[in-house]
Amino acid sequence: MTVDQEALKKILSAPPKSPHLQLELEQLGRGERVDITDSWKINSARRSPHDFSAMVREVTIDPQAKRLAIIIAGEQFKEIALQTPAVLLRIKQELYDFFSAIHEEEWMDPYLRFVHLYECVCSELVDDPFMGQQTRPLLKAEITTRELDQYKGRFFDAGSLRTTDLRSAHSGPKS
């Protein structure tokens, strides 16, 4: 039995397909909010579009709001670091690159008709002696699909990326 080498290469180079895709698209078509975290992890398994992909905790699409919401948590998100303008700018640049990479992923195409806004909440990992490892949201960034299309292949000033400081919403009383 001979194996068609070209056909085998094509199969191996194709990204894995989520078994949930059809159901997710049906739910989105009905206007339901859908958690696509499993599909994200399946599609990112072979080739991650960005280093932040490995830190993804949750991905949802709300077709009513036309929003794809991502929650990430990692070591580089520290409350103290975000107080340094140079570090914050570097994180904003990484977030813009992350959004761009997601937007260019072929497996994302079926979802994009339900999305006009990408939103990412960056969380710090916190060790709690009683609860174990927890996450604390620090920063939310967002960009429209239109802006990503507009700046494709062009310079984007990462300092202009819309962000919201979430630290005050989760901190206790200040003395």
Side-chain angles (χ1 to χ4, degrees), residues 3-13:
V3 177
D4 181 355
Q5 293 296 319
E6 289 303 313
L8 185 59
K9 282 181 187 177
K10 186 176 180 180
I11 290 169
L12 292 175
S13 67

Side-chain angles (χ1 to χ4, degrees), residues 60-123:
T60 57
I61 297 176
D62 179 348
Q64 301 291 327
K66 298 271 190 190
R67 179 180 61 234
L68 181 134
I70 304 168
I71 298 174
I72 59 176
E75 294 297 322
Q76 59 267 63
F77 305 114
K78 298 277 186 205
E79 185 169 359
I80 192 76
L82 294 179
Q83 295 172 5
T84 307
V87 173
L88 181 58
L89 181 62
R90 193 167 46 250
I91 288 174
K92 283 183 163 192
Q93 182 63 55
E94 285 293 325
L95 284 165
Y96 174 76
D97 294 344
F98 179 53
F99 289 137
S100 294
I102 294 166
H103 194 61
E104 295 298 315
E105 281 296 304
E106 187 177 315
W107 60 265
M108 280 294 297
D109 288 347
Y111 299 109
L112 291 181
R113 65 186 164 138
F114 302 103
V115 177
H116 289 302
L117 179 76
Y118 289 104
E119 174 185 282
C120 184
V121 173
C122 304
S123 300

Side-chain angles (χ1 to χ4, degrees), residues 21-93:
L21 179 62
Q22 196 56 45
L23 176 61
E24 291 166 345
L25 294 176
E26 289 170 13
Q27 291 171 320
L28 290 166
R30 291 191 301 265
E32 298 172 24
R33 184 179 169 273
V34 177
D35 183 328
I36 66 163
T37 307
D38 284 344
S39 293
W40 176 282
K41 292 188 185 282
I42 289 167
N43 285 298
S44 296
R46 188 172 291 166
R47 187 186 69 81
S48 180
H50 189 276
D51 290 344
F52 283 4
S53 296
M55 295 183 280
V56 169
R57 297 285 176 111
E58 182 179 312
V59 184
T60 57
I61 297 176
D62 179 348
Q64 301 291 327
K66 298 271 190 190
R67 179 180 61 234
L68 181 134
I70 304 168
I71 298 174
I72 59 176
E75 294 297 322
Q76 59 267 63
F77 305 114
K78 298 277 186 205
E79 185 169 359
I80 192 76
L82 294 179
Q83 295 172 5
T84 307
V87 173
L88 181 58
L89 181 62
R90 193 167 46 250
I91 288 174
K92 283 183 163 192
Q93 182 63 55

Side-chain angles (χ1 to χ4, degrees), residues 119-131:
E119 174 185 282
C120 184
V121 173
C122 304
S123 300
E124 169 179 41
L125 296 171
V126 180
D127 287 323
D128 182 291
F130 300 105
M131 302 293 289

